[in-house]
C-alpha cells in the first residue's frame, strides 16, 4: 500500500512539475485564492460616509465596510490568500508614507522597499510598496484636484499588487466620478 501512495504522490509531483504548476498553485486550487476562477466582473459603486466613493468588482472584492467613521475597508480572496485595503480620510498625518514605513519596520525586519508608480484619474499619487517576504504592503497618498486626500494602507498575501492598483484607480471623492470609473459602470450595465 505504501508503494502505491508513494507512486501516486510521485506522479502527482511530476505532473505539476511538467505543467509548470507549483505547490502553491495546487494549494490555491484546493483552498481557493483571489486568482482562482471567478464570476464575470460586476462593477458597482459604494459611497462611503467619509466622502470617498469606490467602484469595485463584486466578483473580486467583498462589499466595503466602514470600521471607523473616516475609513472604508475592502477585502478579497480567502484566508489562505487575501488582500485588505483601507481608504482613510484624516488630517492627522504629517508624512503618511514615512510614518507607515517606520511602523512596518518596527513589525518586521524583512521589509524591502520598492518604488511604485501608478496614476489615479484627477489626482496626484505618492506611493511605496514593501516586499515583506510572505506578504506585500502598499501605502499611498492620493490627493485629488478637489483637495481631498485619501490615505491607503493595503496588505496582500499575493505576490502581485496589480489588483490593489486597479481598485485605487476606481476611488474618487463622492460626487466626482472620473470618466474612467463611470465607464466601468456603464459597460457593466450594458452587459
Amino acid at each position: 500500500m505504501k508503494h502505491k501512495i508513494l507512486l501516486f504522490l510521485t506522479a502527482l509531483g511530476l505532473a505539476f512539475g511538467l505543467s509548470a504548476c507549483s505547490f502553491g498553485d495546487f494549494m490555491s486550487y484546493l483552498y481557493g485564492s483571489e486568482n482562482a476562477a471567478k464570476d464575470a466582473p460586476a462593477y458597482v459603486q459604494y459611497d462611503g460616509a467619509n466622502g470617498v466613493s469606490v467602484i469595485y468588482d463584486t466578483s473580486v472584492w467583498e462589499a466595503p465596510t466602514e470600521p471607523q467613521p473616516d475609513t472604508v475597508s475592502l477585502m478579497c480572496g480567502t484566508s489562505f490568500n487575501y488582500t485588505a485595503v483601507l481608504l482613510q480620510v484624516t488630517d492627522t498625518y504629517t508624512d503618511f508614507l514615512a510614518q507607515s514605513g517606520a511602523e512596518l519596520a518596527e513589525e518586521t525586519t524583512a521589509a524591502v522597499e520598492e518604488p511604485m508608480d501608478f496614476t489615479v484619474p484627477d489626482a496626484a499619487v505618492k506611493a511605496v510598496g514593501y516586499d515583506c517576504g510572505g506578504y506585500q504592503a502598499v501605502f499611498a497618498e492620493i490627493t485629488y484636484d478637489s483637495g481631498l486626500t485619501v490615505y491607503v494602507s493595503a496588505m496582500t498575501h499575493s505576490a502581485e499588487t496589480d489588483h490593489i492598483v486597479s481598485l485605487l484607480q476606481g476611488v474618487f471623492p463622492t460626487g466626482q466620478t472620473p470618466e474612467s470609473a463611470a465607464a466601468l459602470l456603464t459597460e457593466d450595465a450594458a452587459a
Side-chain angles (χ1 to χ4, degrees):
M1 183 67 175
K2 284 185 182 179
H3 296 301
K4 288 183 180 179
I5 293 172
L6 182 60
L7 183 60
F8 173 75
L9 292 175
T10 303
L12 184 62
L14 182 59
F16 275 107
L18 293 176
S19 68
C21 290
S22 67
F23 180 73
D25 292 334
F26 177 67
M27 296 303 288
S28 293
Y29 173 76
L30 287 178
Y31 294 103
S33 78
E34 61 193 320
N35 296 324
K38 303 177 191 121
D39 297 332
Y43 295 96
V44 297
Q45 181 172 328
Y46 175 83
D47 297 321
N50 62 350
V52 175
S53 293
V54 58
I55 291 178
Y56 67 100
D57 181 353
T58 60
S59 69
V60 175
W61 300 94
E62 295 176 16
T65 60
E66 296 192 56
Q68 308 174 147
D70 68 344
T71 305
V72 174
S73 171
L74 293 100
M75 296 197 60
C76 72
T78 66
S79 58
F80 180 72
N81 188 4
Y82 67 91
T83 298
V85 179
L86 297 178
L87 308 173
Q88 187 178 40
V89 179
T90 181
D91 57 0
T92 58
Y93 293 111
T94 53
D95 189 341
F96 176 72
L97 298 182
Q99 285 177 282
S100 299
E103 289 172 9
L104 185 63
E106 289 175 10
E107 295 178 20
T108 179
T109 57
V112 177
E113 185 175 335
E114 298 177 344
M116 290 192 75
D117 186 27
F118 61 90
T119 59
V120 171
D122 305 319
V125 178
K126 293 190 288 186
V128 63
Y130 291 90
D131 184 341
C132 302
Y135 65 94
Q136 308 290 319
V138 174
F139 301 107
E141 187 175 314
I142 305 173
T143 303
Y144 294 88
D145 295 345
S146 66
L148 179 73
T149 299
V150 176
Y151 300 96
V152 179
S153 302
M155 300 287 179
T156 181
H157 275 271
S158 171
E160 299 295 325
T161 56
D162 293 347
H163 60 301
I164 296 171
V165 171
S166 294
L167 177 71
L168 297 181
Q169 291 173 331
V171 172
F172 48 89
T174 299
Q176 299 181 22
T177 309
E179 290 178 18
S180 57
L184 288 172
L185 291 172
T186 305
E187 289 171 12
D188 194 54

